[in-house]
Amino acid sequence: MTHSDVVVVGAGLAGLVATAELVAAGRRVTLLDAEPAASLGGQAFWSFGGLFLVDSPEQRRLGVKDSAELALADWFGSADFADDGSDRWGRAWAEGFVEFAAGDLRPWLYAQGVRWFPLVQWAERGGYLADGHGNSVPRFHVTWGTGPGILEPFVRALLDARRDGLVDVRFRHRVTGLVTTDGRVTGVRGDLLVPDTVERAVPSSREVQEPFELSASAVVIATGGIGADHDLVRATWPASAGQMPARMLSGVPDHVDGSGIAAAAASGAAVVHEDRMWHYPEGITNHSPVWSRHGIRILAGPSSLWLDADGNRLPAPLFPGFDSLGSLRHITGRGDDHSWFVLDKTILGSEFALSGSEQNPDLTGKDMKLLLERVKPGAVGPVEAFAQKSDEFLWADTPAELAAKMNALSGSDRIDADALERTIVARDRQVETGLGKDPQVVATAMARRYVVDKLIRVAKPHRLLDPAHGPLLAVRLSVLTRKTLGGLHTDLEGRVLRPDGEVLPGLWAAGEASGFGGGGVHGHRALEGTFLGGCLFTGRTVGRALGA
């Protein structure tokens, strides 16, 4: 039986970073993944590449005044950590991550060739009081090259180490259990799956070729969360927030099923905060799906009206881009499986972006000529193409026509045409004043004080019923599963704990499988840009701790 210093389970971003650090420390590593080689890098490949950075040169050049103290206050205001001791390690990891985001994160990646789009975006604006949820300033730094750009140095390091015989990379190895000896994790067991030549993230065969078992001095679980298992998502969603709908979209490939967490739990690992999740309410069906129920998230600016399934506006401050989880809980609390954005052609052109590397070929391909198209009037190419191809983008010249199309798509009569027109007219009257009392209108006007929002992200306030900005548009939004905020309970080195709080010897965890650190570094809410960053931080921490 093959023996390694460390077996790393999962070849996503966290697993790659941990492997790179371990190899640099002279450890012999075996890296396992159930998917074919084409899926190396996991979910990170498909991401927009956003990183939560604090007091960065990019922020300072834009006049943004940020600090580690402000970022930590925002984090704690969003996380709402429990005071019963269950969030002890999550809180400690949060403090460490903010310090990392304000310190080593950028220079560490910069030294490896990573660069960022200079216009910092403002995600999760919150809209609550100063000590509540949300980013007080823009912190979402989009990587030049998006998700693949973040993966590149770690994939390169893996290939170099593999060439030099320092790491054994084995694809199609699905881990189903851990091997324990006298209470210590001493290896892994599982199934060698039949070879499969499917492209990246396309569902692969689960036919078993033969069992396997490997021994190791330590095992690192870096297998991600549960987002593709909709039954499990529904079962663990907190009852206090209603229930997840029967129809949902997936923002992650099929193999993101929580199997690594389950295998660790079966061997005595503690799993905490399972009911904390980060899913999105702004999902749209991918007209060209790669994986099952493939959905894309709309990254919307603040001007669109957000309506529930009955056509009522979501309550303040549940505006586009302000509080993702609050909006989701409002929708699931009503028992709905959809909501709506109502806007016009001008807002679409100024404010809509689509999350994901494949939906942003200019940033992903590092194409400067294509990138310059973003500052021109009208929607960027992928957004415009998606709007033309998707049957969830509904165009109309009048509110009555729009209501009819919304009802036809949903198969109901829940949208009243007269009520929809009254809602739009009431909003337009607020815009016409140049001031207004409507908190969304006020927040939208305030957003344009930030130069990036004014330049490329927030449309100049105008009436939706002004024909010069038409036609009207409604977009049906669905729940899009994405991230698991809870996970394997770990200490500050990434060592997995048992339910009694003691270390489970030989087992470590990184990335989403560990709740991005401590079994829940985000608490109840995330500030965005912290998922890739959490994989980088936990992978580096675990790799260095084991390497030492």
Side-chain angles (χ1 to χ4, degrees):
M1 181 169 55
T2 303
H3 181 85
S4 304
D5 292 334
V6 183
V7 167
V8 177
V9 186
L13 180 58
L16 290 175
V17 174
T19 299
E21 294 291 340
L22 286 161
V23 169
R27 302 293 181 264
R28 297 192 65 82
V29 181
T30 299
L31 177 63
L32 306 178
D33 199 281
E35 295 307 299
S39 288
L40 180 65
Q43 299 174 61
F45 177 89
W46 300 96
S47 76
F48 199 21
L51 288 180
F52 179 97
L53 297 176
V54 178
D55 193 26
S56 69
E58 289 78 13
Q59 287 175 302
R60 293 194 292 271
R61 281 194 288 267
L62 294 167
V64 175
K65 298 177 181 179
D66 199 8
S67 68
E69 293 77 17
L70 179 61
L72 189 60
D74 285 349
W75 194 293
F76 284 171
S78 299
D80 190 24
F81 287 122
D83 294 324
D84 60 6
S86 63
D87 279 319
R88 171 196 171 193
W89 291 112
R91 185 189 299 268
W93 273 93
E95 293 172 347
F97 179 80
V98 170
E99 181 180 353
F100 179 60
D104 285 353
L105 176 53
R106 187 184 183 280
W108 175 57
L109 291 177
Y110 192 94
Q112 299 181 75
V114 180
R115 299 294 184 268
W116 294 272
F117 183 50
L119 302 183
V120 183
Q121 305 296 301
W122 198 343
E124 286 296 301
R125 299 167 190 243
Y128 299 94
L129 298 180
D131 58 354
H133 170 63
N135 284 296
S136 298
V137 297
R139 298 189 176 108
F140 192 79
H141 296 64
V142 178
T143 301
W144 189 230
T146 64
I150 289 179
L151 283 168
E152 196 277 332
F154 304 105
V155 170
R156 183 175 65 242
L158 179 73
L159 296 178
D160 289 347
R162 189 183 193 184
R163 179 199 62 208
D164 296 337
L166 301 175
V167 60
D168 181 7
V169 185
R170 303 188 185 189
F171 297 103
R172 304 299 287 155
H173 281 66
R174 180 180 61 180
V175 171
T176 58
L178 305 182
V179 179
T180 59
T181 306
D182 298 327
R184 180 183 184 86
V185 174
T186 55
V188 298
R189 64 169 60 91
D191 298 321
L192 173 62
L193 304 177
V194 297
D196 200 328
T197 59
V198 296
E199 296 181 0
R200 181 183 292 274
V202 173
S204 61
S205 170
R206 285 298 180 262
E207 182 181 347
V208 176
Q209 183 169 300
E210 62 184 17
F212 75 90
E213 185 170 315
L214 301 173
S215 68
S217 300
V219 173
V220 177
I221 300 295
T223 51
I226 68 170
D229 188 335
H230 289 192
D231 290 337
L232 186 55
V233 168
R234 278 187 284 266
T236 52
W237 183 248
S240 61
Q243 63 183 73
M244 283 291 195
R247 183 186 66 85
M248 296 191 292
L249 304 177
S250 282
V252 295
D254 293 52
H255 59 262
V256 185
D257 58 3
S259 57
I261 298 174
S267 294
V271 181
V272 295
H273 308 309
E274 295 173 271
D275 62 344
R276 296 182 187 175
M277 291 172 260
W278 190 256
H279 306 305
Y280 292 114
E282 314 103 322
I284 50 176
T285 303
N286 191 341
H287 54 73
S288 302
V290 177
W291 54 80
S292 303
R293 301 167 293 196
H294 189 173
I296 300 293
R297 184 196 177 198
I298 294 177
L299 302 172
S303 300
S304 298
L305 288 175
W306 199 339
L307 310 182
D308 63 29
D310 291 315
N312 305 306
R313 288 180 69 181
L314 270 60
L318 304 183
F319 314 131
F322 278 67
D323 180 2
S324 296
L325 186 64
S327 300
L328 176 60
R329 283 173 171 259
H330 181 80
I331 292 163
T332 58
R334 287 173 43 86
D336 293 329
D337 69 355
H338 71 280
S339 60
W340 301 93
F341 280 160
V342 170
L343 57 152
D344 59 28
K345 187 176 182 179
T346 295
I347 294 174
L348 174 75
S350 299
E351 300 193 6
F352 267 33
L354 300 174
S355 182
S357 56
E358 82 283 15
Q359 299 297 330
N360 295 275
D362 52 350
L363 292 163
T364 302
K366 302 180 181 180
D367 188 326
M368 188 61 69
K369 182 178 178 181
L370 197 58
L371 182 67
L372 292 175
E373 298 293 321
R374 290 181 181 259
V375 300
K376 296 180 179 180
V380 296
V383 173
E384 186 173 338
F386 209 106
Q388 293 173 353
K389 295 178 182 178
S390 173
D391 60 6
E392 295 182 306
F393 283 68
L394 308 174
W395 298 95
D397 292 320
T398 66
E401 181 186 357
L402 193 65
K405 290 187 174 182
M406 293 163 74
N407 286 331
L409 180 61
S410 67
S412 68
D413 294 318
R414 297 177 70 173
I415 305 298
D416 179 86
D418 292 337
L420 177 62
E421 182 167 9
R422 288 194 297 270
T423 296
I424 296 173
V425 168
R427 178 264 183 201
D428 283 358
R429 285 174 180 154
Q430 292 290 302
V431 172
E432 283 183 302
T433 67
L435 295 171
K437 65 182 180 181
D438 185 298
Q440 183 175 3
V441 172
V442 173
T444 301
M446 285 292 293
R448 286 176 56 84
R449 291 178 57 189
Y450 175 48
V451 61
V452 174
D453 279 348
K454 186 173 183 178
L455 180 63
I456 65 168
R457 195 68 177 122
V458 182
K460 185 177 181 180
H462 61 273
R463 292 188 306 113
L464 292 177
L465 294 181
D466 182 346
H469 296 280
L472 292 169
L473 170 64
V475 184
R476 185 177 69 174
L477 310 173
S478 302
V479 175
L480 179 74
T481 62
R482 185 66 64 89
K483 295 299 178 187
T484 307
L485 298 188
L488 295 170
H489 209 186
T490 64
D491 66 9
L492 282 180
E493 291 187 2
R495 297 181 298 178
V496 174
L497 306 176
R498 300 187 309 227
D500 63 4
E502 296 299 315
V503 170
L504 177 56
L507 187 62
W508 306 64
E512 190 176 355
S514 67
F516 302 97
V521 69
H522 298 96
H524 291 86
R525 275 179 166 85
L527 289 174
E528 290 291 5
T530 57
F531 301 128
L532 290 176
C535 290
L536 292 166
F537 185 45
T538 55
R540 190 175 94 146
T541 299
V542 166
R544 292 187 176 185
L546 265 172

